[in-house]
Amino acid sequence: NASNNNGRGILLASSNFTTIVNNTILSFNGSEGISLTSSYRNAILLNNITIYSYMRGSNKGISLTSSINNSIIGNNISSNLNISGGVGGGIFLQGSNYTFIDSNVIVTWNSSFHGIELIESSSFNNITNNRITTYGTEAYGIYLFNSISSSNDK
């Protein structure tokens, strides 16, 4: 799968009980690898996702918005933005709850590109056994903002 210019490699909107497994996704210029919106009880497993961009935009490996009770396990994510500014990173949750994030390998290459980012009331999530490498100023391995009761054991 490939996406370009603000697209998505895979998009699930209002989808439930779906498994996304063993895909190779290349996303370019402000795109997302896998995106779930208002979705419930899906599994994102063993995917290889590469984000490469010369423009500002979303630039996220896996993005969940307003989604509940999903699993993100064993994915390899590399996110690289070759321009200052913009947002992006490995795994991004916004208003998403009860997500299990385990055993992912994440590498980000830019300022403010976080490995795992939970914002805007993303709560009761479990973050375990992930290997995260960030290159760039203010790029955090795990970044929580306005999130409660999320746990991380490593």
Side-chain angles (χ1 to χ4, degrees):
N1 298 333
S3 60
N4 195 10
N5 297 329
N6 298 316
R8 286 154 181 84
I10 297 173
L11 170 64
L12 297 181
S14 299
S15 297
N16 304 321
F17 302 101
T18 301
T19 301
I20 301 169
V21 63
N22 203 26
N23 296 283
T24 298
I25 300 169
L26 303 173
S27 291
F28 301 96
N29 294 328
S31 299
E32 296 177 355
I34 298 173
S35 180
L36 276 64
T37 303
S38 301
S39 295
Y40 172 77
R41 233 168 179 181
N42 299 288
I44 302 171
L45 311 169
L46 306 172
N47 297 285
N48 292 301
I49 302 167
T50 302
I51 308 295
Y52 195 77
S53 187
Y54 282 97
M55 64 183 276
R56 292 183 177 105
S58 185
N59 300 304
K60 297 177 184 106
I62 297 173
S63 177
L64 276 64
T65 304
S66 301
S67 295
I68 300 172
N69 203 14
N70 295 286
S71 297
I72 303 171
I73 302 170
N75 298 283
N76 291 305
I77 303 167
S78 177
S79 187
N80 187 4
L81 178 65
N82 285 325
I83 188 172
S84 62
V87 296
I91 297 172
F92 178 82
L93 275 63
Q94 181 176 8
S96 295
N97 303 314
Y98 301 102
T99 302
F100 182 64
I101 302 171
D102 183 67
S103 301
N104 298 284
V105 176
I106 303 166
V107 180
T108 65
W109 300 83
N110 198 351
S111 298
S112 300
F113 267 39
H114 309 304
I116 298 173
E117 181 174 358
L118 281 64
I119 66 168
E120 297 181 18
S121 300
S122 291
S123 303
F124 308 106
N125 297 291
N126 192 332
I127 304 167
T128 59
N129 300 315
N130 297 282
R131 186 173 56 179
I132 303 167
T133 306
T134 59
Y135 299 96
T137 57
E138 296 183 28
Y140 302 106
I142 298 173
Y143 179 81
L144 303 174
F145 179 77
N146 196 23
S147 296
I148 61 169
S149 296
S150 295
S151 65
N152 175 27
D153 75 346
K154 293 203 176 204

